[in-house]
Amino acid sequence: MDEPLRLRVAVEAPQHSGLQTALDYSCERWLSPGTLVRVPLGRREVAGVVWPGDPSEEPSLALKPIAQVLQAVPPLSARWCELVEFAAAYYQRGLGEVALSVLPPELRKLDDAQLANRITRLRKAFDKPVEAIAPTARPELSPDQATALGRLRELSTPGAAPVVLLHGLTGSGKTEVYLRAAEEALASGRQVLVLVPEINLTPQLEARFAERFGSGAAPRRIVSLHSGLTPAQRLKNWLAAHLGLADLVLGTRLAVFAPLPRLGLIVVDEEHDPSYKQQEGARYSARDLAVYRGKLEGACVVLGSATPSLESWQRAEQGRYVRLSLASRIGGGALPTVRLVDKNLLPKATGVTSTLSPQLVAALATRLERGEQSLVFLNRRGYAPVLHCTACGWKSGCPNCSAWRVFHKLDRTLRCHHCGFTQSVPRACPDCGNLDIASIGRGTERLEEQLAASLPGARVARIDADSTKLKGALEAQLSAVHAGDVDVLVGTQMIAKGHDFRRITLVAAVSPDSALFSSDFRAPERLFSLLMQAAGRAGRDAAQAARSEMWVQTWHPLHPLYAALRRHDYTAFAASQLKEREMAGLPPFAHLALLRAEARTAEAAKEFLQAAADLAAQIPGASELLIYPAVPTSVARVANVERMQMLIEASSRGALQRVLTPWMASLPSLRSQHKAVMRWALDVDPLAI
Ligand code: ADP
Ligand code: ZN
Ligand code: ZN
């Protein structure tokens, strides 16, 4: 009898199983790499993917056989496997863990017959002609757009896969460039992947792509991929991409792993957005993986932003990316005038500083009279960040976290935004019984209240994570804004992003200063980008653009960040930030990783990290790394778990990676001596420090 074949399979296994690579299984017949299978692991049967590469030579008596083969689904491509393998290695996670976590969950549940069924139905659905949408005319390209597209065409010769950084303000016509680039890729028979940072932004963009490509002589099939889909929809759309039925895939970060047999173009819109970084499991950056994938697949990559990440900007400066700029807004719309309100000059009302300066209130009142809309944002939800007792100094701390519980006035609760612990507001101080409990500071709820009080007759609406909890609430609120049923929109940064509000002529940031002095070196970059984006909300309608304004209330009106903002000068801001980063030895001039540990006590977490650092020191190449002492995370205790982190710095990615791989493999050995440590996780290229 023939000996059964030996195959490598990437299997789904939890991170701490220590399983980093593929396992060997036996099979009666050869299966092509990329085939989906089910295999026994321990006492369970788990999903797996037959992996490229040679199985180990080690003779093993008890090789387990592959239990099921899902033949209905064509094998994943070698390039897809390579992308996953790179992501697993770079972000230091198990191969099978990454491979299976980026596949639609339904693939694990259905058997071969069920999958075959779904695929037949899907093919049938795609055989039907698309419902015709009234075609819209393509606009004449602006000179900047024409130049950008011309360069893109020049660069995209066969065999070349350029990475382009498309720098242009909101409203400068970047999306039109994506559409035209997509058109050309589609015309040559290739697929297009478009990534957006947030689910909320997919319908808008999907509509624009559908308008352009969903009709005409050769209508294109567009599918979306994001976590807001039902499991069945997600499987369907994923299969449509994988089978090559969909021409265009639009999605959030997880879509970077969508299998696309004819991929020709990847667009990453708002490439600077932190949402592209996954914050759990394999902490990958979808933007960075998109760039890697473009090289792998010979696909052109377009990274678009008004305020590119300094990493991407730096690469463009070095010539590794090609920078293309759209210098002005379409229709010549002027940019809003930036007005800084110097809080130092405001009259001090007895002990309390008002959130809203008289100047800002007057400007808002003028808009109200003219029937124009305003947008006011503050990055803190709830009514007030903390309650306190005026007699004994009690504050509304969370018993489980090192954080204050936020006062929510609408339902009179104190809520912890970290662990969720919620109680009704006490009638009297829990410590001394005093009835005089006051709130300190302000959140969006209070701002909403103050705006309504300062602007009698104004229709004030609030959009933040609290007001949009119910499904459909955000859509309903947004359409009220679009319909003109709102005069003043209050909210967190949620409203500063992406939404195309046509009637807004004033945008105000009431209290953005804290980011200027944050311990996180990226805070200024994020603030600048947020303010630029918020400014882009104002005056998108050229007719109104001339009188649109952006207001910033600040204690530091001379800060260089605000100076650059006044001139809408990202380039100057980037240059000054990059200089600071270079002097301080921070990214993109250094490469970082962050090891975090969680334990019942801070000591236990710290001891573990120290022991980990000692292990690292023994690894060849460790001398090229700088390992900082462990420190508590910004909110150290959450739900009674203490969190510490340790920063690792290297001058090159290579130096970092050479140590990280053996180091991560050695950490499970610490487990037995550090039983109090509940978990640890490594974040490569962390975004928040
Ligand atoms: P961005 O993506 O940079 O914010 P958009 O591509 O959305 O910019 O363009 C802003 C607005 O200008 C949109 O309403 C778009 O339809 C319109 N637009 C874009 N390019 C042109 C063009 N060449 N001619 C006329 N209108 C255009
Ligand atoms: Zn008290
Ligand atoms: Zn808490």
Side-chain angles (χ1 to χ4, degrees):
M1 205 180 99
D2 278 353
E3 224 176 280
L5 284 163
R6 195 187 257 257
L7 290 173
R8 294 176 80 207
V9 179
V11 296
E12 183 165 40
Q15 189 215 358
H16 287 308
S17 61
L19 192 58
Q20 293 299 313
T21 59
L23 295 177
D24 287 0
Y25 285 88
S26 70
C27 192
E28 294 301 324
R29 61 195 173 89
W30 186 80
L31 295 173
S32 146
T35 304
L36 295 170
V37 292
R38 294 241 159 77
V39 293
L41 182 71
R43 258 177 265 148
R44 297 179 307 142
E45 193 174 290
V46 298
V49 179
V50 177
W51 211 254
D54 295 328
S56 66
E57 292 289 311
E58 261 172 62
S60 127
L61 298 172
L63 214 52
K64 288 189 184 155
I66 283 174
Q68 278 183 59
V69 182
L70 303 179
Q71 311 184 70
V73 182
L76 293 152
S77 71
R79 284 185 302 226
W80 185 89
C81 293
E82 210 175 325
L83 176 70
V84 167
E85 194 150 339
F86 169 79
Y90 186 83
Y91 295 103
Q92 305 292 332
R93 304 294 291 203
L95 178 63
E97 183 204 359
V98 175
L100 276 302
S101 71
V102 303
L103 292 174
E106 285 282 285
L107 278 181
R108 290 184 204 114
K109 296 211 193 98
L110 305 180
D111 63 25
D112 201 31
Q114 289 168 317
L115 282 167
N117 217 322
R118 299 278 170 107
I119 290 174
T120 313
R121 289 213 309 259
L122 187 66
R123 288 195 188 277
K124 252 192 213 134
F126 273 81
D127 267 346
K128 283 201 206 109
V130 222
E131 261 175 68
I133 307 171
T136 47
R138 289 141 95 234
E140 191 82 25
L141 290 177
S142 72
D144 277 352
Q145 286 172 329
T147 310
L149 280 160
R151 281 284 283 145
L152 199 60
R153 209 170 296 130
E154 260 168 52
L155 294 163
S156 318
T157 50
V163 181
V164 167
L165 180 60
L166 184 64
H167 178 219
L169 292 164
T170 311
S172 63
K174 293 186 296 297
T175 310
E176 184 61 36
V177 174
Y178 307 154
L179 286 164
R180 295 295 181 108
E183 191 178 309
E184 291 179 20
L186 292 170
S188 62
R190 301 190 72 174
Q191 288 169 301
V192 176
L193 173 64
V194 181
L195 300 180
V196 291
E198 279 174 47
I199 296 179
N200 306 332
L201 301 177
T202 49
Q204 246 180 53
L205 204 63
E206 202 174 343
R208 261 181 98 177
F209 275 84
E211 229 174 61
R212 183 66 57 88
F213 299 116
S215 60
R220 307 295 183 181
R221 312 293 189 140
I222 304 172
V223 299
S224 59
L225 271 181
H226 53 74
S227 57
L229 300 174
T230 65
Q233 278 171 330
R234 189 164 153 200
L235 176 66
K236 196 171 126 199
N237 293 356
W238 182 89
L239 283 170
H242 181 39
L243 299 169
L245 298 172
D247 302 299
L248 239 146
V249 174
L250 221 140
T252 50
R253 61 173 179 260
L254 62 86
V256 77
F257 289 105
L260 293 154
R262 299 176 275 114
L263 183 60
L265 170 72
I266 308 178
V267 173
V268 184
D269 191 24
E270 310 287 4
E271 68 89 32
H272 64 279
D273 198 292
S275 314
Y276 283 120
K277 185 92 194 306
Q278 166 100 347
Q279 293 299 348
E280 58 195 35
R283 290 166 166 78
Y284 63 84
S285 155
R287 182 211 41 228
D288 294 351
L289 287 180
V291 170
Y292 186 85
R293 187 170 185 185
K295 291 231 160 54
L296 211 58
E297 310 238 15
C300 173
V301 180
V302 178
L303 308 175
S305 177
T307 51
S309 63
L310 290 173
E311 281 78 4
S312 298
W313 191 254
Q314 165 74 352
R315 288 182 175 204
E317 299 274 278
Q318 293 169 332
R320 291 159 73 191
Y321 295 173
V322 178
R323 180 165 49 218
L324 301 174
S325 299
L326 304 177
S328 54
R329 275 180 147 182
I330 295 292
L335 287 162
T337 308
V338 175
R339 298 196 185 283
L340 301 176
V341 178
D342 185 349
K343 288 206 205 173
N344 300 291
L345 302 178
L346 295 180
K348 302 264 185 303
T350 48
V352 283
T353 51
S354 168
T355 325
L356 297 165
S357 60
Q359 297 95 308
L360 178 56
V361 172
L364 289 166
T366 309
R367 308 285 143 168
L368 189 62
E369 274 162 30
R370 290 208 293 245
E372 296 167 4
Q373 292 176 310
S374 304
L375 188 161
V376 182
F377 75 93
L378 174 66
N379 237 353
R380 194 187 277 141
R381 62 197 169 87
Y383 187 82
V386 54
L387 281 189
H388 86 137
C389 166
T390 51
C392 76
W394 169 86
K395 281 185 176 159
S396 58
C398 175
N400 311 320
C401 307
S402 50
W404 305 120
R405 274 180 303 161
V406 175
F407 173 37
H408 289 254
K409 195 175 176 188
L410 287 180
D411 54 4
R412 296 207 62 81
T413 54
L414 287 178
R415 281 191 234 160
C416 175
H417 289 182
H418 299 279
C419 73
F421 181 63
T422 303
Q423 280 181 322
S424 356
V425 172
R427 294 178 46 96
C429 170
D431 282 1
C432 75
N434 172 25
L435 289 175
D436 191 13
I437 307 183
S439 50
I440 309 178
R442 56 201 68 84
T444 45
E445 264 186 32
R446 188 174 194 177
L447 185 58
E448 179 188 15
E449 189 181 278
Q450 288 180 345
L451 280 162
S454 322
L455 300 166
R459 295 163 300 173
V460 181
R462 174 169 54 89
I463 295 188
D464 56 25
D466 296 317
S467 78
T468 54
K469 251 186 233 137
L470 297 176
K471 200 170 161 59
L474 177 64
E475 291 72 17
Q477 289 173 322
L478 289 175
S479 61
V481 179
H482 289 295
D485 297 337
V486 170
D487 300 311
V488 181
L489 178 62
V490 184
T492 50
Q493 60 174 354
M494 244 172 115
I495 54 173
K497 284 189 187 181
H499 303 290
D500 192 356
F501 298 127
R502 292 269 144 181
R503 307 171 191 225
I504 286 179
T505 60
L506 185 152
V507 173
V510 294
S511 183
D513 279 345
S514 60
L516 299 178
F517 308 102
S518 166
S519 60
D520 184 342
F521 67 89
R522 281 198 181 82
E525 179 183 352
R526 281 196 297 266
L527 175 63
F528 188 79
S529 141
L530 181 67
L531 292 176
M532 286 281 281
Q533 227 169 94
R537 300 298 117 225
R540 293 207 62 167
D541 229 328
Q544 297 171 338
R547 55 171 195 275
S548 67
E549 292 177 348
M550 159 123 212
W551 286 64
V552 177
Q553 300 189 138
T554 172
W555 295 101
H556 306 277
L558 298 179
H559 196 284
L561 186 150
Y562 295 134
L565 180 72
R566 285 183 93 147
R567 300 191 309 268
H568 305 280
D569 193 348
Y570 168 81
T571 309
F573 173 75
S576 78
Q577 278 288 304
L578 282 172
K579 201 185 274 165
E580 275 182 32
R581 299 262 187 102
E582 185 165 24
M583 288 196 317
L586 289 167
F589 302 94
H591 298 273
L592 304 179
L594 204 54
L595 183 62
R596 294 197 182 88
E598 299 185 0
R600 284 288 169 212
T601 66
E603 291 69 41
K606 192 167 188 164
E607 277 163 22
F608 170 82
L609 290 176
Q610 187 50 54
D614 294 343
L615 278 183
Q618 297 164 24
I619 295 170
S623 58
E624 289 185 51
L625 264 50
L626 198 55
I627 300 185
Y628 289 85
V631 293
T633 58
S634 63
V635 177
R637 188 164 46 98
V638 169
N640 287 321
V641 173
E642 298 285 346
R643 307 180 309 170
M644 302 282 280
Q645 62 183 23
M646 189 165 78
L647 190 65
I648 302 104
E649 187 189 292
S651 59
S652 76
R653 282 183 203 285
L656 190 59
Q657 290 287 329
R658 273 192 293 282
V659 176
L660 289 184
T661 308
W663 189 31
M664 286 302 112
S666 73
L667 290 189
S669 70
L670 293 176
R671 182 138 269 221
S672 57
Q673 304 128 47
H674 296 270
K675 292 221 165 70
V677 172
M678 298 148 77
R679 56 188 152 259
W680 66 84
L682 185 78
D683 191 347
V684 181
D685 303 335
L687 270 193
I689 306 281

